Amino acid sequence: MSAAQGPRVGDEVEYAPGRLAVVTDIRKGVPYLRRAGHPEWPAQNPNGLTVSRTRVQRIADGDFR
């Protein structure tokens, strides 16, 4: 994640190899993540997050139905 183009709320990100979560909030520049069945947590390595699908892509894929 770069400072200019980091993930936004609603984006699905890969936070570790093969591990996906959704950005639920950004507090003081730190993205907070959530995956199904787990409580929200601050990203351990915000610069290591990779956006796999943007919020717009997730909406188009029907994730919000």
Side-chain angles (χ1 to χ4, degrees):
M1 170 181 109
S2 70
Q5 181 119 358
R8 296 177 181 219
V9 172
D11 289 353
E12 179 183 77
V13 296
E14 185 175 43
Y15 63 93
R19 300 282 191 162
L20 298 175
V22 174
V23 177
T24 58
D25 198 3
I26 300 174
R27 302 175 197 157
K28 297 183 181 181
V30 177
Y32 277 69
L33 310 176
R34 179 168 296 176
R35 19 183 288 222
H38 295 273
E40 182 181 66
W41 74 92
Q44 295 287 326
N45 181 11
N47 293 324
L49 298 176
T50 303
V51 176
S52 58
R53 291 187 303 156
T54 65
R55 181 177 188 275
V56 171
Q57 290 169 319
R58 292 180 62 229
I59 291 169
D61 290 345
D63 282 9
F64 292 98
R65 289 186 189 160

